[in-house]
Amino acid sequence: MREIYLKACGKINLSLDVTGVRQDGYHDLSTVMHSISLYDRIHIVWEPNEEGGMQIRICTNRPYLPVDERNLAWRAAQLMNERYGSQAGIEGGVLKISMKKSIPVAAGLAGGSADGAAVLIGLNRIWKLGLNTRQLCRLGEELGSDVPFCILTQNTRYRAALATGRGEHLQPLRKMMKKHIVLAKPPFGVSTKEVFRHIDAYEIPMHPDHRALIHGLAAGDDEEVYRNMINVLELYTLEHYEAVKKLKDTVRSRTSAEKVLMSGSGPTVFGVYSSMKEAKKACSILRDLRYEAYWASTDGR
Ligand code: ATP
């Protein structure tokens, strides 16, 4: 038996721009993603046996999540099994993956992608495959656009990257943001597909300047960073989900956030704070208002 424990960190989008529609129907994006200290705990146990065939068993503390091929962790295990399961010493066995989830589901925080990334990284280690980060990212692309970013940040010291294409082309950023954040969400999910289906109908009034944002991060210039923290998907989500708009206004008016933005396609909204004390205070204000709220940071695990 071999086992491994991993932390699967979520992400926020410091900016998100839609730059075009592709022939395959996906949108071209340009987004600065940042890993956060809110994570799911993944425990993988591999019990080899002589019977041949690989059984994948998933369990999770979120009873409403599927534990079959609809779960990204399951799909990641199946992908590794398809590619490497016939190698000597790996031929058969039982893979038990347990996921203690803390990242809210369907929240724009890449919870499923983080779990899938952790399974790819974990099996690479358990089966001693020797795949490097680039090779793992290429596998991750087959699972979802955010998976390569999650692999990059779980498997290296990088915490942030500029992602382009569907989100899979990554330019790792040397400087990360050193801030405290509070994530808050209303009691529903927003479908990423729905948002992208409608976003082309919008005239985008202001695009983030990624060069300036990255420069701001490198120079530690908060104002330059905040000026360019723009998520164009807010155009759709804030208009169609009044509760998200209200939440964003609440974080802005009731807490000392230096910047407030929606992550991904929503509905999670995050506030940025320089001090842990202010972030914790903001978190408790939002919880008192009955929001699901989490305190996290951008520079730790
Ligand atoms: P992203 O930010 O990458 O768009 P998200 O944070 O908005 O993702 P997820 O939490 O990954 O969304 O959930 C999106 C859907 O994926 C949910 O409907 C859920 O049922 C499904 N899903 C599959 N596997 C998982 C998993 N391991 N954890 C959470 N959701 C999962």
Side-chain angles (χ1 to χ4, degrees), residues 26-288:
Y26 283 93
H27 284 79
D28 270 317
L29 306 179
S30 180
T31 172
V32 173
M33 296 204 264
H34 209 299
S35 129
I36 55 173
S37 62
L38 184 66
Y39 55 82
D40 295 343
R41 287 180 187 277
I42 310 293
H43 179 207
I44 307 174
V45 179
W46 180 50
E47 294 169 357
N49 62 34
E50 307 290 298
E51 289 155 29
M54 195 73 73
Q55 273 184 53
I56 302 167
R57 295 188 197 148
I58 306 260
C59 67
T60 165
N61 59 333
R62 299 279 181 252
Y64 50 83
L65 272 183
V67 290
D68 50 22
E69 68 281 356
R70 288 167 295 168
N71 196 302
L72 262 178
W74 193 99
R75 288 215 290 279
Q78 178 63 8
L79 179 63
M80 290 297 265
N81 181 41
E82 275 165 22
R83 297 295 153 84
Y84 304 103
S86 57
Q87 287 192 7
I90 318 181
E91 290 104 329
V94 182
L95 269 176
K96 294 179 183 165
I97 301 170
S98 81
M99 305 190 301
K100 186 164 182 289
K101 288 197 67 78
S102 298
I103 305 171
V105 174
L109 301 173
S113 303
D115 299 344
V119 170
L120 297 184
I121 291 169
L123 288 177
N124 182 40
R125 294 194 195 148
I126 288 181
W127 290 342
K128 297 186 172 32
L129 298 171
L131 303 174
N132 61 30
T133 301
R134 193 178 288 269
Q135 291 168 309
L136 286 168
C137 283
R138 217 164 283 144
L139 279 171
E141 271 177 46
E142 297 182 33
L143 296 174
S145 321
D146 289 344
V147 179
F149 174 79
C150 295
I151 290 170
L152 175 79
T153 50
Q154 285 178 37
N155 212 37
T156 70
R157 298 173 74 86
Y158 290 111
R159 292 285 165 271
L162 172 67
T164 51
R166 280 166 52 197
E168 78 281 24
H169 299 308
L170 299 175
Q171 176 193 325
L173 302 182
R174 240 177 252 138
K175 282 285 170 100
M176 61 177 154
M177 189 183 228
K178 293 191 174 165
K179 295 286 180 186
H180 302 274
I181 54 167
V182 172
L183 304 148
K185 74 178 278 294
F188 53 81
V190 169
S191 151
T192 304
K193 274 194 191 137
E194 174 194 333
V195 178
F196 277 106
R197 208 168 30 220
H198 293 100
I199 198 64
D200 298 329
Y202 287 78
E203 184 93 17
I204 296 175
M206 196 145 70
H207 295 269
D209 178 343
H210 283 126
R211 197 190 282 244
L213 175 51
I214 293 165
H215 176 265
L217 283 173
D221 181 342
D222 289 350
E223 285 314 310
E224 191 167 26
V225 172
Y226 295 157
R227 241 193 331 271
N228 288 289
M229 283 177 62
I230 295 169
N231 178 351
V232 303
L233 300 184
E234 284 187 345
L235 290 170
Y236 175 84
T237 307
L238 299 194
E239 185 183 324
H240 288 83
Y241 295 86
E242 182 61 31
V244 183
K245 184 174 182 307
K246 187 170 165 226
L247 171 58
K248 193 176 171 196
D249 291 342
T250 302
V251 178
R252 202 184 274 138
S253 61
R254 300 289 293 269
T255 82
S256 59
E258 293 162 15
K259 180 74 192 181
V260 186
L261 198 71
M262 185 181 85
S263 185
S265 50
T268 299
V269 164
F270 64 94
V272 181
Y273 308 81
S274 288
S275 98
M276 185 194 292
K277 197 170 147 214
E278 286 302 314
K280 287 188 168 170
K281 199 164 117 193
C283 195
S284 76
I285 290 170
L286 293 165
R287 283 179 182 163
D288 286 348

